[in-house]
């Protein structure tokens, strides 16, 4: 994806942010976007600053929380997002084209189990009163 999208001037964090935001036309609070992208809020803030300067995203005050900003895709992002989705579909077809639906579902279930266990372990390790293993 990165190699194919570099011609658009988009790094992985940029196109990932655009894809996540495209799933939330009502906007996302920066903290929510950082959580979805699995990056620190401070890293996201710098990324969004650059993306706003380049015209990819807009920040607007959150009406329910004066301390927060909502992040939206800008109108400029629309055609680029279409290109990102086309490249993603091509890459997906190249990688998964001959893999059966049942194999993909099984893989998804295994990866979800691993992810849940990893989150559980991380929560145990990050809790001050927990015993570390």
């Amino acid at each position: 994806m990165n190699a194919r999208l570099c011609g658009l001037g988009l790094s992985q964090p940029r196109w990932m942010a655009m894809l996540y935001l495209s799933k939330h036309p009502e906007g996302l609070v920066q903290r929510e976007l950082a959580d979805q992208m699995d990056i620190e809020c401070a890293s996201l803030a710098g990324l969004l600053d650059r993306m706003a300067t380049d015209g990819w995203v807009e920040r607007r005050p959150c009406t329910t929380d004066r301390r927060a900003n909502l992040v939206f895709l800008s109108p400029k992002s629309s055609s680029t997002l279409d290109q990102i989705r086309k490249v993603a579909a091509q890459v997906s077809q190249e990688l998964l084209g001959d893999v059966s639906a049942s194999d993909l579902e099984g893989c998804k279930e295994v990866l979800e189990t691993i992810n849940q266990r990893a989150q559980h372990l991380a929560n145990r390790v990050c809790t001050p009163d927990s015993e570390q293993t």
Side-chain angles (χ1 to χ4, degrees):
M1 288 284 295
N2 285 332
R4 294 183 187 184
L5 291 173
C6 68
L8 298 175
L10 296 173
S11 63
Q12 182 177 355
R14 284 183 182 219
W15 60 257
M16 285 181 62
M18 291 174 72
L19 284 173
Y20 281 113
L21 288 170
S22 73
K23 296 176 184 177
H24 300 277
E26 72 283 0
L28 278 175
V29 175
Q30 288 180 207
R31 181 188 69 261
E32 294 170 335
L33 181 58
D35 288 346
Q36 288 191 14
M37 293 180 64
D38 198 26
I39 63 173
E40 296 294 324
C41 287
S43 299
L44 179 63
L47 172 67
L48 293 176
D49 287 343
R50 294 184 298 277
M51 290 181 74
T53 298
D54 293 342
W56 298 112
V57 298
E58 300 171 352
R59 288 183 173 121
R60 300 179 202 153
C62 180
T63 58
T64 58
D65 184 350
R66 292 185 309 161
R67 299 166 296 165
N69 284 319
L70 289 171
V71 183
F72 297 85
L73 289 174
S74 70
K76 172 185 174 178
S77 298
S78 181
S79 64
T80 303
L81 193 56
D82 290 341
Q83 291 176 301
I84 293 169
R85 287 184 177 131
K86 285 178 187 173
V87 168
Q90 290 169 346
V91 170
S92 179
Q93 178 60 35
E94 290 174 28
L95 293 173
L96 305 173
D98 62 347
V99 178
S100 73
S102 62
D103 285 348
L104 284 175
E105 187 58 35
C107 180
K108 180 181 171 184
E109 290 174 10
V110 169
L111 292 174
E112 183 60 33
T113 298
I114 293 169
N115 185 46
Q116 289 173 357
R117 289 177 182 172
Q119 288 178 359
H120 177 73
L121 286 174
N123 290 339
R124 282 187 22 211
V125 171
C126 292
T127 305
D129 295 334
S130 67
E131 293 182 29
Q132 295 184 9
T133 56

